[in-house]
Amino acid sequence: MRIDIITVLPEMLEQTLNCSILKRAQDKGLVEIKLHNLRDYSLDEKHKRVDDYPFGGSAGMVLQCEPVDRAISSLKEQRIYDEIIYTSPDGEQFNQPMANQLSLCENLIILCGHYKGIDYRIREFLITKEISIGDYVLTGGELAAAVMADAIVRVIPGAIGDEQSALSDSFQDNLLAPPVYTRPAEYKGMKVPEVLLSGHQAKIQAWELEQSIERTKRLRPDLL
Ligand code: ADE
């Protein structure tokens, strides 16, 4: 899989996307994540400007069609993209089923929104999907792109060590994950539930399911 991220702030994403599991997945060849600086596609040789004042006189700056179109067109000349995603609080709310589905794609572009927005013609004619990571407004789409890339990559088979563990995450079956514990079995008088020390797999699984259902009912009844 390949994810191309177009942004005016590549430095904001460089570290985040080259750490831990995302780095390992790239080193293993499971995914290629490429950052593209939108300014490299500016026609303004001197200042590399990519934004301009909005028609109509409202406040803030708007990303121009031209550099965005040039960036997307240059990528589309090289391969076929399954989706061209724009990060925006107006978009469809990102969730686990969406991450799973996008992880099956061959090639994705994520265009990070910025400033007051982007010339609407890009959204109408080039973008295939608009995604929001929640009902709040971020300063730009970079953090949203990082959240999406992380959630997408970690469900690619082989990305996390234990293949089972991505599937047993919270949300994968619309249930929150059960509690987990590690040694010591007793800490400051607080004991790990007895069943987890029993070695009885069937009983452990039944307990975990019961805990998942109880936690979901209590904490996220909307998921049931
Ligand atoms: N850009 C600004 N706010 C955003 C959000 N909530 N989700 C995705 N992109 C955004």
Side-chain angles (χ1 to χ4, degrees), residues 43-220:
L43 283 184
D44 170 16
E45 285 292 320
K46 199 164 167 204
H47 301 104
K48 300 281 176 200
R49 261 184 80 167
V50 290
D51 59 349
D52 209 335
Y53 294 98
F55 283 126
S58 53
M61 301 297 274
V62 175
L63 285 182
Q64 294 171 289
C65 283
E66 199 155 42
V68 177
D69 183 24
R70 292 179 78 208
I72 292 177
S73 299
S74 133
L75 290 171
K76 279 168 82 177
E77 274 166 22
Q78 297 168 58
R79 63 195 68 77
I80 294 168
Y81 285 90
D82 302 275
E83 297 284 1
I84 303 176
I85 297 166
Y86 176 61
T87 59
S88 159
D90 306 356
E92 194 183 337
Q93 170 107 34
F94 190 62
N95 57 18
Q96 190 64 55
M98 219 190 277
N100 297 348
Q101 202 183 350
L102 291 170
S103 78
L104 302 174
C105 292
E106 202 63 36
N107 298 305
L108 290 178
I109 292 177
I110 304 178
L111 169 65
C112 300
H114 213 61
Y115 305 114
K116 194 179 169 214
I118 184 169
D119 191 301
Y120 203 71
R121 290 166 287 191
I122 292 291
R123 295 171 67 174
E124 277 185 307
F125 300 114
L126 285 179
I127 297 301
T128 62
K129 210 177 193 47
E130 299 201 352
I131 301 181
S132 163
I133 60 160
D135 285 341
Y136 39 81
V137 181
L138 302 166
T139 52
E142 284 72 18
L143 292 175
V147 165
M148 287 192 267
D150 186 296
I152 291 168
V153 171
R154 70 186 293 290
V155 291
I156 297 174
I160 45 184
D162 172 3
E163 294 239 354
Q164 273 305 302
S165 70
L167 294 175
S168 59
D169 285 339
S170 286
F171 297 112
Q172 281 296 12
D173 46 12
N174 264 9
L175 290 176
L176 300 185
V180 291
Y181 301 88
T182 186
R183 286 184 291 181
E186 184 172 341
Y187 181 69
K188 293 188 176 174
M190 294 177 287
K191 290 185 178 156
V192 169
E194 202 66 49
V195 62
L196 295 178
L197 309 175
S198 70
H200 194 301
Q201 279 312 309
K203 277 190 188 160
I204 292 173
Q205 277 174 13
W207 179 85
E208 286 177 340
L209 180 62
E210 187 190 299
Q211 289 290 317
S212 284
I213 295 170
E214 188 281 319
R215 295 188 74 239
T216 311
K217 272 188 192 157
R218 181 162 48 89
L219 302 169
R220 290 294 307 274

